[in-house]
Amino acid sequence: MHLDDKTLLAQFALPELREKAYTAIIKKYQEKLYWHIRRMVIEHEDTNDVLQNVFVKVWNALANFREDSQLYTWLYRIATNESISFLEQKKKKTAAVSLSNEDNGYDFENSIKADKHFDSTRLEWQLQLAINQLPEKQRLVFNLRYYDEMPYEEMSKILGTTTGALKASYHHAAKKIEDYIVKHA
């Protein structure tokens, strides 16, 4: 049984219960955060690295959490920011290695196709390839809405964007995904 967030935060404030409460928070949100990050950074090893960074930041900042938002929203904001930072660092490393404009950026498609379970005829693989063709912001909005079923109002708090802009991003992303799947079917 999971304790509610208010109880966990109250326990975290007590030095004798801090580690127990932190462990409970990790157990409660680890899987959701893992998949949120994984859909952005793609590879399992990278996802684990980013997730570790997220939990280190949570440990260091949780005592100052003011509860202006829900704990879940705050955790997603940290995970989103860490994922974006990771992707930006990866792009810079790739750009430093490559002098060719065509080679700048990570090759998501080959990474996905290299997966031993890859089957191009299965819709979920086509969907993953389509999602990875999206610009970073649209991919993030699509993943939060489609996979996490996150309301636009919640996304707005995490991403600092208006709900109207998020709805437009989601609509454009869905249209691009549909076009990609139709084209590659």
Side-chain angles (χ1 to χ4, degrees), residues 90-91 94-95 98 100-108:
K90 194 165 192 168
K91 278 183 199 172
T94 304
S98 172
S100 165
N101 286 340
E102 296 165 354
D103 290 339
N104 278 349
Y106 179 67
D107 190 349
F108 289 116

Side-chain angles (χ1 to χ4, degrees), residues 7 11 13 25 49 80 85 98 107-108 116 152 160 169 179 184:
T7 303
Q11 288 180 352
I25 290 168
D49 290 346
T80 300
S85 293
S98 172
D107 190 349
F108 289 116
K116 66 182 176 188
Y152 290 111
S169 286
D179 291 348
H184 292 88

Side-chain angles (χ1 to χ4, degrees), residues 93-150:
K93 286 178 188 172
T94 304
V97 171
S98 172
L99 297 175
S100 165
N101 286 340
E102 296 165 354
D103 290 339
N104 278 349
Y106 179 67
D107 190 349
F108 289 116
E109 191 166 341
N110 283 338
S111 174
I112 290 170
K113 288 179 178 177
D115 187 299
K116 66 182 176 188
H117 302 291
F118 177 76
D119 178 356
S120 65
T121 62
R122 299 202 41 204
L123 186 57
E124 61 265 27
W125 287 103
Q126 291 176 3
L127 176 62
Q128 195 61 51
L129 289 170
I131 290 169
N132 287 316
Q133 302 299 316
L134 296 173
E136 195 171 282
K137 176 92 178 204
Q138 285 180 4
R139 186 171 67 238
L140 175 60
V141 170
F142 184 83
N143 285 337
L144 286 171
R145 184 77 179 149
Y146 182 79
Y147 289 109
D148 298 330
E149 299 176 351
M150 187 176 289

